[in-house]
Amino acid sequence: MKLTGLIGWRGMVGSVLMDRMQIEGDFDFIEPVFFSTSNAGGAAPSMAKNELRLLDAYDIEALKRCEIVVTAQGGDYTADVFPRLRAAGWKGHWIDAASTLRMNQDAVIILDPVNMPVIRDALAKGGRNWIGGNCTVSCMLMGVGALFKAGWVEWMNTMTYQAASGGGAAHMRELLNQFGALHAPLKALLGDPKSAILEIDRRTIDTQRGFSADAIENFGVPLAGSLIPWIDKDLGGGVSREEWKGSAETNKILGQGDGFSKPLVPVDGICVRVGTMRCHSQALLFKLKRDVPLGDVEEAIRNDNAWVRLVANNREASIRELTPVAVSGTMAIAVGRLRKMAMGPQYLGAFTIGDQLLWGAAEPLRRMLRMLVQS
Ligand code: HSE
């Protein structure tokens, strides 16, 4: 069994990953070695088999023994350790959730239900760097990748509604604390059905505007009862890094654009943080190359992979099945609100939702691991 180093397994993405690996029986196929950046020598978790102690995640010699390394430790760790490990002559497979290496030429962004041919091609050529994609992009492609595969898309516009979890565990806590802080002083007024709603509203905005530095430590501004129309770094020219990733990663996953024989398909939009917990949602507008019948579009999406769940485009189904509350914690990728738009028969609207910790982060990693250990 392949010696597999696991790093960052205790964090939020790492915990979801460990959970999924246990559910799918992945530990039956590997000899795990658990590493730690802070607790080397401590006890390894119950999935450990022979290596019962945590090893130092910065120990290049210990990492070198592994045939596969899976890390959800984050970008700073990758930037520090990966080049040193490769420089030390390590030839193993590196599976990583962080974005650090994603756009490197020798790295493949892994999302096998969408880009198995790209992965197989890279494997055949000796590829060794397998990087999970941006959560928004991965969830979107799991939902509507079929349209790209069919070659129908001339361009895609995506307007995102991204959950607090995309920022990390502390962001989720901060969101809930903000909701609590908004509600607490209003309890009495809310309990009185005759109280004035404009008074409640005025107090709410006063609380939001008066949040202490601690209350907005992670997001920098209030999110509860508000939204933040910018995610990640400012790349200049009015573009956020999250928006740039939308095009760069979508095309790289699909094996098109720079460095591939197929042309790039323009993808652009505006990425927005909203007060949801762990599901990223997106309103999509496609310009199709031709007037593809809606029935064909629905069939292609429905048959694309085992996880996509097509939601009928009516009020009842949309408000019950096409929401973060319905999708959260499940492997389903919901796609709905599919219809031709008023601009013409080549313009297709859609709405899609995925759990950003599952398909958006952990799942592609464990599936790549499984592919490597079973090949
Ligand atoms: N950048 C994403 C977000 C995280 O902030 O929501 C998933 O890659």
Side-chain angles (χ1 to χ4, degrees), residues 102 133-136 162-167 231-232 242 245 273 280 356 360:
R102 267 183 212 151
N134 169 265
C135 45
T136 323
Q162 296 184 220
S165 60
I231 295 178
D232 209 337
E242 190 77 355
K245 284 178 184 174
R273 185 78 70 204
H280 282 1
Q356 74 94 210

PDB file of all heavy atoms in Angstrom, residues 102 133-136 162-167 231-232 242 245 273 280 356 360, ligand 1:
ATOM      1  N   ARG A 102      -1.733  26.021  -8.696  1.00  0.00           N
ATOM      2  CA  ARG A 102      -2.757  25.699  -9.702  1.00  0.00           C
ATOM      3  C   ARG A 102      -2.411  26.056 -11.135  1.00  0.00           C
ATOM      4  O   ARG A 102      -2.658  25.294 -12.053  1.00  0.00           O
ATOM      5  CB  ARG A 102      -4.068  26.420  -9.365  1.00  0.00           C
ATOM      6  CG  ARG A 102      -4.997  25.603  -8.556  1.00  0.00           C
ATOM      7  CD  ARG A 102      -6.279  26.380  -8.344  1.00  0.00           C
ATOM      8  NE  ARG A 102      -6.827  26.016  -7.034  1.00  0.00           N
ATOM      9  CZ  ARG A 102      -7.564  26.796  -6.286  1.00  0.00           C
ATOM     10  NH1 ARG A 102      -7.883  28.011  -6.686  1.00  0.00           N
ATOM     11  NH2 ARG A 102      -7.992  26.375  -5.121  1.00  0.00           N
ATOM     12  N   GLY A 133      -9.371  22.662  -7.538  1.00  0.00           N
ATOM     13  CA  GLY A 133      -9.700  23.950  -8.138  1.00  0.00           C
ATOM     14  C   GLY A 133     -10.338  24.919  -7.158  1.00  0.00           C
ATOM     15  O   GLY A 133     -10.685  24.553  -6.029  1.00  0.00           O
ATOM     16  N   ASN A 134     -10.493  26.125  -7.595  1.00  0.00           N
ATOM     17  CA  ASN A 134     -11.256  27.115  -6.846  1.00  0.00           C
ATOM     18  C   ASN A 134     -12.671  26.562  -6.638  1.00  0.00           C
ATOM     19  O   ASN A 134     -13.275  26.008  -7.564  1.00  0.00           O
ATOM     20  CB  ASN A 134     -11.286  28.418  -7.662  1.00  0.00           C
ATOM     21  CG  ASN A 134     -12.277  29.418  -7.113  1.00  0.00           C
ATOM     22  OD1 ASN A 134     -13.412  29.484  -7.566  1.00  0.00           O
ATOM     23  ND2 ASN A 134     -11.852  30.186  -6.135  1.00  0.00           N
ATOM     24  N   CYS A 135     -13.180  26.728  -5.415  1.00  0.00           N
ATOM     25  CA  CYS A 135     -14.457  26.089  -5.073  1.00  0.00           C
ATOM     26  C   CYS A 135     -15.608  26.542  -5.963  1.00  0.00           C
ATOM     27  O   CYS A 135     -16.460  25.738  -6.354  1.00  0.00           O
ATOM     28  CB  CYS A 135     -14.798  26.365  -3.614  1.00  0.00           C
ATOM     29  SG  CYS A 135     -14.532  28.083  -3.155  1.00  0.00           S
ATOM     30  N   THR A 136     -15.618  27.813  -6.290  1.00  0.00           N
ATOM     31  CA  THR A 136     -16.713  28.351  -7.109  1.00  0.00           C
ATOM     32  C   THR A 136     -16.688  27.721  -8.491  1.00  0.00           C
ATOM     33  O   THR A 136     -17.714  27.331  -9.053  1.00  0.00           O
ATOM     34  CB  THR A 136     -16.556  29.878  -7.244  1.00  0.00           C
ATOM     35  OG1 THR A 136     -16.076  30.390  -6.017  1.00  0.00           O
ATOM     36  CG2 THR A 136     -17.846  30.532  -7.607  1.00  0.00           C
ATOM     37  N   GLN A 162     -21.373  33.790  -2.721  1.00  0.00           N
ATOM     38  CA  GLN A 162     -20.450  32.855  -2.070  1.00  0.00           C
ATOM     39  C   GLN A 162     -20.563  32.875  -0.548  1.00  0.00           C
ATOM     40  O   GLN A 162     -20.689  33.924   0.077  1.00  0.00           O
ATOM     41  CB  GLN A 162     -19.016  33.173  -2.524  1.00  0.00           C
ATOM     42  CG  GLN A 162     -18.870  32.947  -4.023  1.00  0.00           C
ATOM     43  CD  GLN A 162     -17.467  33.150  -4.552  1.00  0.00           C
ATOM     44  OE1 GLN A 162     -17.304  33.709  -5.626  1.00  0.00           O
ATOM     45  NE2 GLN A 162     -16.448  32.685  -3.842  1.00  0.00           N
ATOM     46  N   ALA A 163     -20.467  31.680   0.003  1.00  0.00           N
ATOM     47  CA  ALA A 163     -20.698  31.474   1.433  1.00  0.00           C
ATOM     48  C   ALA A 163     -19.508  31.906   2.284  1.00  0.00           C
ATOM     49  O   ALA A 163     -18.377  32.000   1.819  1.00  0.00           O
ATOM     50  CB  ALA A 163     -20.982  29.989   1.676  1.00  0.00           C
ATOM     51  N   ALA A 164     -19.782  32.096   3.560  1.00  0.00           N
ATOM     52  CA  ALA A 164     -18.749  32.487   4.522  1.00  0.00           C
ATOM     53  C   ALA A 164     -17.618  31.466   4.594  1.00  0.00           C
ATOM     54  O   ALA A 164     -16.450  31.821   4.772  1.00  0.00           O
ATOM     55  CB  ALA A 164     -19.382  32.649   5.903  1.00  0.00           C
ATOM     56  N   SER A 165     -17.934  30.192   4.425  1.00  0.00           N
ATOM     57  CA  SER A 165     -16.919  29.140   4.567  1.00  0.00           C
ATOM     58  C   SER A 165     -15.769  29.300   3.569  1.00  0.00           C
ATOM     59  O   SER A 165     -14.670  28.817   3.824  1.00  0.00           O
ATOM     60  CB  SER A 165     -17.557  27.765   4.365  1.00  0.00           C
ATOM     61  OG  SER A 165     -18.138  27.684   3.071  1.00  0.00           O
ATOM     62  N   GLY A 166     -16.024  29.976   2.436  1.00  0.00           N
ATOM     63  CA  GLY A 166     -14.941  30.199   1.470  1.00  0.00           C
ATOM     64  C   GLY A 166     -13.793  30.974   2.084  1.00  0.00           C
ATOM     65  O   GLY A 166     -12.647  30.861   1.657  1.00  0.00           O
ATOM     66  N   GLY A 167     -14.094  31.787   3.102  1.00  0.00           N
ATOM     67  CA  GLY A 167     -13.034  32.525   3.792  1.00  0.00           C
ATOM     68  C   GLY A 167     -12.327  31.660   4.825  1.00  0.00           C
ATOM     69  O   GLY A 167     -11.156  31.855   5.125  1.00  0.00           O
ATOM     70  N   ILE A 231     -14.316  39.596  -3.610  1.00  0.00           N
ATOM     71  CA  ILE A 231     -13.726  38.428  -2.938  1.00  0.00           C
ATOM     72  C   ILE A 231     -12.284  38.268  -3.383  1.00  0.00           C
ATOM     73  O   ILE A 231     -11.972  38.305  -4.581  1.00  0.00           O
ATOM     74  CB  ILE A 231     -14.536  37.144  -3.254  1.00  0.00           C
ATOM     75  CG1 ILE A 231     -15.951  37.257  -2.655  1.00  0.00           C
ATOM     76  CG2 ILE A 231     -13.832  35.898  -2.697  1.00  0.00           C
ATOM     77  CD1 ILE A 231     -16.875  36.083  -2.941  1.00  0.00           C
ATOM     78  N   ASP A 232     -11.417  38.114  -2.391  1.00  0.00           N
ATOM     79  CA  ASP A 232      -9.982  37.909  -2.622  1.00  0.00           C
ATOM     80  C   ASP A 232      -9.313  39.225  -3.048  1.00  0.00           C
ATOM     81  O   ASP A 232      -9.900  40.291  -2.941  1.00  0.00           O
ATOM     82  CB  ASP A 232      -9.771  36.772  -3.649  1.00  0.00           C
ATOM     83  CG  ASP A 232      -8.441  36.034  -3.439  1.00  0.00           C
ATOM     84  OD1 ASP A 232      -7.524  36.616  -2.839  1.00  0.00           O
ATOM     85  OD2 ASP A 232      -8.322  34.878  -3.880  1.00  0.00           O
ATOM     86  N   GLU A 242     -10.768  36.433  -7.409  1.00  0.00           N
ATOM     87  CA  GLU A 242     -11.779  35.382  -7.539  1.00  0.00           C
ATOM     88  C   GLU A 242     -12.405  35.418  -8.941  1.00  0.00           C
ATOM     89  O   GLU A 242     -12.687  34.382  -9.534  1.00  0.00           O
ATOM     90  CB  GLU A 242     -12.860  35.588  -6.461  1.00  0.00           C
ATOM     91  CG  GLU A 242     -13.849  34.442  -6.321  1.00  0.00           C
ATOM     92  CD  GLU A 242     -13.287  33.228  -5.574  1.00  0.00           C
ATOM     93  OE1 GLU A 242     -12.090  33.213  -5.241  1.00  0.00           O
ATOM     94  OE2 GLU A 242     -14.059  32.292  -5.336  1.00  0.00           O
ATOM     95  N   LYS A 245      -9.935  34.049 -11.463  1.00  0.00           N
ATOM     96  CA  LYS A 245      -9.887  32.578 -11.396  1.00  0.00           C
ATOM     97  C   LYS A 245     -11.016  31.956 -12.207  1.00  0.00           C
ATOM     98  O   LYS A 245     -10.872  30.882 -12.771  1.00  0.00           O
ATOM     99  CB  LYS A 245     -10.013  32.093  -9.946  1.00  0.00           C
ATOM    100  CG  LYS A 245      -8.759  32.245  -9.105  1.00  0.00           C
ATOM    101  CD  LYS A 245      -9.068  31.764  -7.691  1.00  0.00           C
ATOM    102  CE  LYS A 245      -7.910  31.958  -6.755  1.00  0.00           C
ATOM    103  NZ  LYS A 245      -8.274  31.611  -5.361  1.00  0.00           N
ATOM    104  N   ARG A 273     -19.754  37.965  -1.790  1.00  0.00           N
ATOM    105  CA  ARG A 273     -19.893  37.186  -0.551  1.00  0.00           C
ATOM    106  C   ARG A 273     -21.258  37.493   0.067  1.00  0.00           C
ATOM    107  O   ARG A 273     -21.620  38.663   0.185  1.00  0.00           O
ATOM    108  CB  ARG A 273     -18.788  37.606   0.436  1.00  0.00           C
ATOM    109  CG  ARG A 273     -18.761  36.790   1.715  1.00  0.00           C
ATOM    110  CD  ARG A 273     -18.128  35.448   1.543  1.00  0.00           C
ATOM    111  NE  ARG A 273     -16.692  35.539   1.321  1.00  0.00           N
ATOM    112  CZ  ARG A 273     -15.970  34.602   0.708  1.00  0.00           C
ATOM    113  NH1 ARG A 273     -16.534  33.501   0.260  1.00  0.00           N
ATOM    114  NH2 ARG A 273     -14.672  34.763   0.534  1.00  0.00           N
ATOM    115  N   HIS A 280     -21.823  27.630  -2.159  1.00  0.00           N
ATOM    116  CA  HIS A 280     -21.639  28.695  -3.143  1.00  0.00           C
ATOM    117  C   HIS A 280     -22.733  28.564  -4.207  1.00  0.00           C
ATOM    118  O   HIS A 280     -22.927  27.478  -4.777  1.00  0.00           O
ATOM    119  CB  HIS A 280     -20.273  28.583  -3.812  1.00  0.00           C
ATOM    120  CG  HIS A 280     -19.144  29.098  -2.961  1.00  0.00           C
ATOM    121  ND1 HIS A 280     -19.312  29.602  -1.706  1.00  0.00           N
ATOM    122  CD2 HIS A 280     -17.811  29.211  -3.232  1.00  0.00           C
ATOM    123  CE1 HIS A 280     -18.137  29.977  -1.210  1.00  0.00           C
ATOM    124  NE2 HIS A 280     -17.207  29.760  -2.123  1.00  0.00           N
ATOM    125  N   GLN A 356     -19.331  24.064  -0.948  1.00  0.00           N
ATOM    126  CA  GLN A 356     -17.949  24.417  -1.322  1.00  0.00           C
ATOM    127  C   GLN A 356     -16.892  23.647  -0.547  1.00  0.00           C
ATOM    128  O   GLN A 356     -15.726  23.618  -0.945  1.00  0.00           O
ATOM    129  CB  GLN A 356     -17.728  25.927  -1.260  1.00  0.00           C
ATOM    130  CG  GLN A 356     -17.622  26.546   0.107  1.00  0.00           C
ATOM    131  CD  GLN A 356     -16.199  26.672   0.590  1.00  0.00           C
ATOM    132  OE1 GLN A 356     -15.949  26.627   1.787  1.00  0.00           O
ATOM    133  NE2 GLN A 356     -15.240  26.820  -0.296  1.00  0.00           N
ATOM    134  N   GLY A 360     -16.394  21.492  -3.756  1.00  0.00           N
ATOM    135  CA  GLY A 360     -15.561  22.684  -3.914  1.00  0.00           C
ATOM    136  C   GLY A 360     -14.171  22.552  -3.331  1.00  0.00           C
ATOM    137  O   GLY A 360     -13.306  23.395  -3.597  1.00  0.00           O
TER     138      GLY A 360
HETATM  139  N1  HSE B   1     -11.932  31.772  -2.829  1.00  0.00           N
HETATM  140  C1  HSE B   1     -13.083  31.059  -2.402  1.00  0.00           C
HETATM  141  C2  HSE B   1     -13.948  31.907  -1.528  1.00  0.00           C
HETATM  142  C3  HSE B   1     -12.652  29.844  -1.638  1.00  0.00           C
HETATM  143  O1  HSE B   1     -13.415  32.844  -0.942  1.00  0.00           O
HETATM  144  O2  HSE B   1     -15.132  31.659  -1.417  1.00  0.00           O
HETATM  145  C4  HSE B   1     -12.727  28.586  -2.437  1.00  0.00           C
HETATM  146  O3  HSE B   1     -11.677  28.442  -3.358  1.00  0.00           O
END
